[in-house]
């Protein structure tokens, strides 16, 4: 597993299992050895984001997969094109109770460890702070909004 992050987060990323960690401010992602899969959580239409999409052509093994969680308009337009005309796929996930229960079980078993940066109240102030943190583009974990305890009394 190769990952990239800022120098301040190298230890954190290594702790989560990366074999190789690249400081994106001072290093390039190596093109060898070729990768089986590139999971891109950064590339987006926002000009402030680094565009790693070119790695799909230069750093993947033959038959490898490039997966991006964000997309450009062209990615959405490909959804309307015949599969023989383009080699990319757009996957739109469908959430269901069974999948969420399976994920919850994995968390309980310690098989996956959600990385929570901050728990905020589900209030106007909490939501404003959450958006400020998102816009700051420096999150290293998820934001959680606490809705509070559900009262069993009427």
């Amino acid at each position: 597993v190769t990952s990239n992050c800022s120098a301040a987060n190298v230890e954190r990323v290594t702790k989560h299992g990366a074999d190789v960690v690249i400081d994106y401010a001072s290093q390039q992602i190596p093109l060898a050895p070729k990768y089986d899969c590139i999971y891109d959580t950064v590339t987006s239409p926002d000009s402030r984001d680094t565009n790693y999409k070119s790695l799909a052509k230069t750093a993947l093994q033959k038959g490898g997969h490039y997966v991006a969680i964000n997309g450009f308009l062209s990615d959405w337009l490909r959804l309307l094109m015949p599969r023989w005309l383009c080699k990319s796929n757009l996957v739109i996930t469908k959430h269901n109770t069974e999948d969420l229960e399976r994920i919850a079980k994995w968390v309980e078993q310690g098989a996956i460890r959600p990385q929570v940066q901050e728990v905020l109240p589900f209030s106007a102030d909490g939501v404003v702070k959450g958006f400020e943190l998102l816009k700051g583009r420096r999150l290293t974990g998820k934001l959680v909004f606490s809705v509070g305890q559900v009262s069993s009394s009427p």
Side-chain angles (χ1 to χ4, degrees):
V1 173
T2 299
S3 184
N4 66 334
C5 62
S6 65
N9 291 312
V10 168
E11 184 178 338
R12 177 191 311 259
V13 172
T14 302
K15 185 178 174 183
H16 292 305
D19 301 306
V20 176
V21 181
I22 297 156
D23 174 1
Y24 62 73
S26 63
Q27 300 172 292
Q28 294 292 319
I29 294 176
L31 302 180
K34 299 285 186 184
Y35 298 98
D36 296 315
C37 180
I38 296 173
Y39 185 70
D40 181 354
T41 62
V42 176
T43 300
S44 79
D46 191 319
S47 63
R48 295 175 293 175
D49 291 334
T50 301
N51 188 338
Y52 292 108
K53 197 169 186 176
S54 64
L55 291 174
K57 293 180 180 172
T58 59
L60 279 175
Q61 290 189 49
K62 185 178 180 180
H65 298 280
Y66 172 79
V67 179
I69 65 166
N70 297 307
F72 294 90
L73 176 60
S74 60
D75 297 318
W76 288 94
L77 292 174
R78 284 188 188 107
L79 181 64
L80 306 173
M81 298 174 73
R83 291 292 140 234
W84 61 268
L85 194 56
C86 65
K87 294 184 179 182
S88 65
N89 292 312
L90 178 66
V91 177
I92 300 173
T93 61
K94 295 179 182 176
H95 307 288
N96 60 58
T97 302
E98 181 183 337
D99 289 346
L100 294 174
E101 287 172 346
R102 183 178 303 121
I103 293 168
K105 184 177 179 180
W106 290 338
V107 171
E108 290 168 5
Q109 295 171 342
I112 58 175
R113 299 178 315 255
Q115 304 306 305
V116 177
Q117 178 165 327
E118 191 164 346
V119 178
L120 300 167
F122 187 58
S123 65
D125 290 341
V127 171
V128 167
K129 182 176 181 183
F131 275 108
E132 288 171 359
L133 289 166
L134 285 171
K135 289 178 189 176
R137 308 171 78 76
R138 294 291 175 247
L139 291 172
T140 58
K142 298 296 181 187
L143 295 178
V144 175
F145 290 92
S146 176
V147 177
Q149 299 294 325
V150 177
S151 175
S152 59
S153 60

